[in-house]
Amino acid sequence: MPALLVTSACSSNSDGSDDKKAKSSPSAGATSTEEQKKAAEAKRIGALDPQALEKATISGKSTGFAFKQVSKADAEAGRGMTADKPECQPIASLAGGYTHIEAVSVEHRSLEPTEATNATIGSMWLASHSEKNAERVMSDLRTSLKKCDGFKTLGLTYKNVKQLKDPSLADDAVSYRITNVVGKQSVQMTYTVVREGGVIAAFYGVNMLTPEKSAIPEAAIEAQLEKLG
């Protein structure tokens, strides 16, 4: 299973305990300084700052899923997804929960079904960019989907990259399917990547029972887009 999905689904922080620890730790001051720098950079390029992005990201139950916060350590685990083929890097970065162009800030959530009849689990992350960089993320992703047939990263193998029909969502949207191979097990994942202004919202799902139903439903995506405004 992909690193981000495993960590977010199994180790998500739904009670805020990690946040409480962070506030009382010696590094809290350094974190505050870093957030101030990010806020200043966001203002300079016209992007959402970390506080605004967090406020605009769903937490709690909505549209049949529980949107749960992911600890910083778990989210950071996917940052080093470097593809062995340069043309595949935009896809590899998304597999790790980030965009290949560095964002001002990123919010991660795990998505767990609240209904027993729903076997799709997954993740969502919002990345704040300038609008120009967000447009480039989408353009580079489309190019990557045309040129990349598969890649390896962090001991993981991804193959059978297949672009699907573009959804009619927000300012721009791309959908694709990819297979992750771990040992003898193959897991099919469906990604939906959406641009709303300077924000990239990426969703990906896995359904071990019915792989063709692995996409996160558009109702959940639209709920997040509505909150984003």
Side-chain angles (χ1 to χ4, degrees):
M1 292 289 282
L4 183 62
L5 179 62
V6 172
T7 55
S8 62
C10 300
S11 306
S12 57
N13 172 26
S14 58
D15 60 3
S17 58
D18 286 351
D19 294 336
K20 293 175 185 176
K21 291 178 183 177
K23 291 178 182 177
S24 61
S25 70
S27 62
T31 300
S32 177
T33 300
E34 183 65 24
E35 291 301 304
Q36 289 174 3
K37 290 180 180 179
K38 289 181 179 180
E41 175 63 10
K43 184 177 181 180
R44 184 184 73 82
I45 65 175
L48 286 182
D49 62 36
Q51 186 176 7
L53 187 67
E54 181 180 11
K55 186 177 180 180
T57 306
I58 293 178
S59 289
K61 295 179 180 179
S62 174
T63 60
F65 287 91
F67 291 70
K68 296 186 176 183
Q69 290 186 326
V70 178
S71 73
K72 183 176 180 180
D74 287 341
E76 287 292 327
R79 191 182 284 276
M81 299 282 271
T82 302
D84 61 344
K85 301 176 183 177
E87 64 270 23
C88 298
Q89 190 55 51
I91 302 173
S93 293
L94 287 168
Y98 292 88
T99 50
H100 67 290
I101 298 173
E102 186 174 359
V104 174
S105 60
V106 184
E107 280 289 326
H108 291 89
R109 299 289 185 270
S110 66
L111 274 64
E112 300 177 15
T114 56
E115 301 172 1
T117 55
N118 183 5
T120 299
I121 62 171
S123 296
M124 172 192 83
W125 52 97
L126 269 57
S128 176
H129 293 272
S130 67
E131 189 159 352
K132 181 179 180 180
N133 275 356
E135 289 174 347
R136 184 182 155 197
V137 167
M138 300 299 286
S139 175
D140 288 353
L141 174 59
R142 282 197 166 88
T143 299
S144 186
L145 288 169
K146 291 177 181 177
K147 296 182 177 181
C148 177
D149 57 357
F151 59 94
K152 294 181 179 180
T153 177
L154 296 182
L156 301 171
T157 298
Y158 292 84
K159 66 178 185 178
N160 300 333
V161 180
K162 180 182 179 182
Q163 185 169 358
L164 306 176
K165 181 180 179 181
D166 290 349
S168 298
L169 294 165
D171 294 325
D172 194 6
V174 175
S175 183
Y176 61 95
R177 193 164 287 153
I178 189 169
T179 300
N180 177 217
V181 182
V182 181
K184 295 182 179 180
Q185 185 178 32
S186 295
V187 181
Q188 195 174 89
M189 306 171 293
T190 301
Y191 285 76
T192 303
V193 185
V194 183
R195 181 181 71 83
E196 178 67 45
V199 175
I200 298 295
F203 303 77
Y204 100 86
V206 170
N207 189 314
M208 300 297 287
L209 298 179
T210 315
E212 60 269 22
K213 294 183 179 180
S214 59
I216 298 301
E218 285 196 7
I221 298 173
E222 289 171 346
Q224 174 53 68
L225 294 174
E226 184 176 348
K227 186 172 178 63
L228 187 60

